[in-house]
Amino acid sequence: MDTHTQRISGLLEKIRMENEKVGAFIEIYGEEALAKANALDAKATSGKKPGRLAGKIIAIKNNIAYRGKRLTCGSKMLANYLAPYDAAVVERVEAEDGIIIGSTNLDEFACGSDTTSSAIMRTRNPLDLDCVPGGSSGGSAASVAAGFADMALGSDTGGSIRCPAAFCGVVGMKPTYGLVSRYGLADMAMSLDQIGPLAKCVADVKLILSVIGGSDERDQTTASSPKSVDLGFEGKPSIAVAREFLEGADERIAGCFHSLVGKLKDDGYVISEISIPELRHAIPIYYLTVFAEFSSAMQKYDGLRYGKMDRELDSLVEGVSELRGDKFGLEVKRRILLGTFITTKEYQDAWYGKTLKARAVLKNAMESALSKHGLLLGPTMGVLPWKIGEKMTNPLEMYLTDMLTVPANLAGIPAGSVPFGKAGRFRPGMQVLGSRFSDAKVLALMEEIERLDR
Ligand code: GLN
């Protein structure tokens, strides 16, 4: 068997040859990964017990802090910013002997669904290099799909783990809000953001989630989460399909979905069809929430606290606004402006106040469906990966593609995507949703789907 060092050397060579084509990594941590592999080999010969992630190679989205390394968030604003500390998930991965191989590309500050808003580089879909990898964790999904890493970490505010997982044909999971510490994650919209894993198989997603999950006193939203996470199998759950999940879905994706439902039924699962009409309002509720929280999160990037003031300052206001004008991309600016507008005193009740109420209604509808039916099942994305450059001209069209992923974030519930069937070169993702902290149950059904796909 290869030593850890041999495997890492081989992998670094592969990445050197192929990453240029795929564009998964912003930075490759070759030296550190080799040093870690050496240390693991030494540990193995000395007979010490290896950690739970020993030998697993892990890529991390570049909005997750890794001490001393660039934390660009895909933006010119932070192009040379070095993370001053490790994110909680990085600490946990390293404590269990995971080898971090590099940081992956993303949409600027995680705003997008195809990774094309990154100011750093282009990422391509390893299944079809002319197509987008999905987003915003496109680099993470591509790194796994291309075989550069066993697992990757992403962040999911409205689908940014599940969308690229579905586009690149890998498994991805957004855990229950509060299961994984966000300490060290550059926030996009705090009430929605969650870090989670991507991998080739459900077993690996389970493994790394059991390492990174659990309460952390540095993130108060993890307070109600268990100290450590048990992801054992939980038996055969009942399942419901919401009619709205299939409205407007590409027929090749719908075809895969129907064949999955047929197979599950043959296997003895009881699947009922229901309707959750509130789902039709998920997109406006999600985007208004994101605009408001995002514009507030972006205030700290003023060149003084974060970002580098690279010009003479005659007037502070002009200097800051010029810098923000130069360093932020179009999508980020659009969201800051809209968010600032809807949270101004005059318009707060009309927009943001209503959004909060509507979010509560949607959340209740999801929770009550889940308490009655156990798990929800649908496609992850209603569309297949588009050609690079195709959707960016019309932001609304891109927003609409998030229709099936945003409800889980708005409700704070776990949702995972697992490939099933084939549509040309692609392997459409099927999404499983469960009630809060039923992550184990969600993963158990994902494992069943994976088995039925063979
Ligand atoms: N595509 C969604 C958006 O642009 C989701 C992004 C995310 O989950 N980070 O807001």
Side-chain angles (χ1 to χ4, degrees):
M1 213 178 97
D2 279 1
T3 61
H4 295 303
T5 314
Q6 282 163 336
R7 179 155 185 240
I8 287 286
S9 314
L11 203 65
L12 286 171
E13 190 51 35
K14 177 180 166 72
I15 294 173
R16 231 173 301 196
M17 313 262 291
E18 297 171 22
N19 184 50
E20 207 169 314
K21 193 171 69 189
V22 178
F25 291 107
I26 288 181
E27 221 174 325
I28 296 153
Y29 308 144
E31 256 174 52
E32 292 81 356
L34 273 172
K36 180 87 196 188
N38 268 322
L40 277 179
D41 286 331
K43 197 170 177 177
T45 23
S46 74
K48 277 205 203 107
K49 193 171 168 259
R52 281 185 292 157
L53 292 177
K56 293 286 185 189
I57 291 153
I58 297 148
I60 53 175
K61 186 174 181 177
N62 201 215
N63 59 354
I64 297 173
Y66 189 33
R67 187 198 288 266
K69 298 290 181 195
R70 282 162 72 214
L71 183 63
T72 68
C73 294
S75 180
K76 275 199 241 164
M77 181 61 93
L78 295 179
N80 298 310
Y81 175 72
L82 301 181
Y85 56 84
D86 282 330
V89 289
V90 166
E91 284 173 4
R92 290 186 182 196
V93 161
E94 294 205 311
E96 290 296 341
D97 290 339
I99 301 177
I100 296 181
I101 188 90
S103 61
T104 58
N105 196 25
L106 68 160
D107 279 300
E108 185 173 12
F109 287 105
C111 293
S113 311
D114 64 4
T115 314
T116 58
S117 78
S118 169
I120 310 289
M121 63 194 287
R122 227 359 106 254
T123 301
R124 296 173 180 276
N125 190 323
L127 299 178
D128 180 343
L129 293 173
D130 291 332
C131 289
V132 299
S136 64
S137 313
S140 287
S143 71
V144 173
F148 300 158
D150 299 317
M151 306 162 167
L153 294 179
S155 66
D156 191 310
T157 304
S160 278
I161 290 173
R162 289 159 289 153
C163 160
F167 277 16
C168 294
V170 300
V171 183
M173 170 90 180
K174 181 204 91 74
T176 299
Y177 184 76
L179 186 69
V180 177
S181 172
R182 289 172 299 122
Y183 178 76
L185 170 72
D187 53 328
M188 173 185 172
M190 277 213 255
S191 76
L192 302 162
D193 299 336
Q194 191 60 202
I195 294 177
L198 299 105
K200 275 247 159 81
C201 59
V202 181
D204 274 354
V205 162
K206 263 165 90 166
L207 172 63
I208 188 167
L209 187 57
S210 72
V211 168
I212 61 173
S215 62
D216 172 18
E217 60 189 20
R218 294 163 299 181
D219 175 358
Q220 286 306 307
T221 60
T222 65
S224 57
S225 140
K227 274 237 152 16
S228 66
V229 179
D230 170 22
L231 295 170
F233 193 83
E234 286 203 0
K236 216 167 240 182
S238 66
I239 303 169
V241 174
R243 210 169 296 142
E244 291 76 12
F245 286 158
L246 291 153
E247 282 171 2
D250 183 290
E251 53 189 44
R252 289 161 293 179
I253 296 175
C256 292
F257 180 72
H258 292 308
S259 104
L260 168 63
V261 168
K263 281 197 173 180
L264 283 167
K265 282 184 178 160
D266 290 346
D267 228 39
Y269 281 88
V270 178
I271 303 187
S272 31
E273 193 187 292
I274 59 167
S275 169
I276 310 176
E278 291 82 357
L279 284 171
R280 297 209 179 97
H281 306 292
I283 287 292
I285 301 173
Y286 168 77
Y287 274 94
L288 289 167
T289 309
V290 163
F291 293 161
E293 293 187 23
F294 184 68
S295 68
S296 139
M298 288 296 109
Q299 283 175 15
K300 56 185 169 289
Y301 303 108
D302 54 11
L304 306 168
R305 282 170 294 178
Y306 289 93
K308 196 164 184 309
M309 186 54 78
D310 55 4
R311 56 206 75 203
E312 292 286 307
L313 274 189
D314 290 331
S315 133
L316 183 63
V317 174
E318 267 168 37
V320 169
S321 97
E322 232 185 69
L323 180 88
R324 285 165 66 91
D326 279 1
K327 304 278 176 180
F328 284 146
L330 186 63
E331 184 56 31
V332 164
K333 282 184 200 154
R334 181 172 14 247
R335 294 182 188 212
I336 292 175
L337 289 176
L338 289 167
T340 308
F341 172 75
I342 62 169
T343 48
T344 49
K345 218 166 170 198
E346 299 91 303
Y347 294 105
Q348 219 174 48
D349 289 343
W351 292 102
Y352 190 53
K354 276 215 181 94
T355 304
L356 289 177
K357 285 188 195 135
R359 178 176 177 182
V361 172
L362 174 66
K363 183 167 183 272
N364 285 340
M366 301 283 292
E367 276 170 358
S368 96
L370 285 164
S371 70
K372 251 188 246 142
H373 299 283
L375 292 173
L376 292 173
L377 178 65
T380 308
M381 297 297 288
V383 290
L384 292 172
W386 48 87
K387 289 245 170 348
I388 290 175
E390 229 174 43
K391 281 232 158 53
M392 242 350 225
T393 44
N394 183 351
L396 281 184
E397 213 186 315
M398 172 114 88
Y399 293 173
L400 283 173
T401 62
D402 298 331
M403 206 152 63
L404 303 176
T405 50
V406 298
N409 304 76
L410 291 167
I413 58 177
S417 177
V418 55
F420 185 85
K422 278 208 151 231
R425 298 174 176 210
F426 301 111
R427 300 169 66 208
M430 300 299 147
Q431 182 175 224
V432 181
L433 301 97
S435 43
R436 274 177 67 71
F437 292 113
S438 71
D439 302 61
K441 216 165 148 185
V442 168
L443 285 159
L445 182 58
M446 287 164 66
E447 241 168 6
E448 286 287 280
I449 298 174
E450 185 176 62
R451 183 178 61 81
L452 292 172
D453 192 34
R454 283 191 202 122

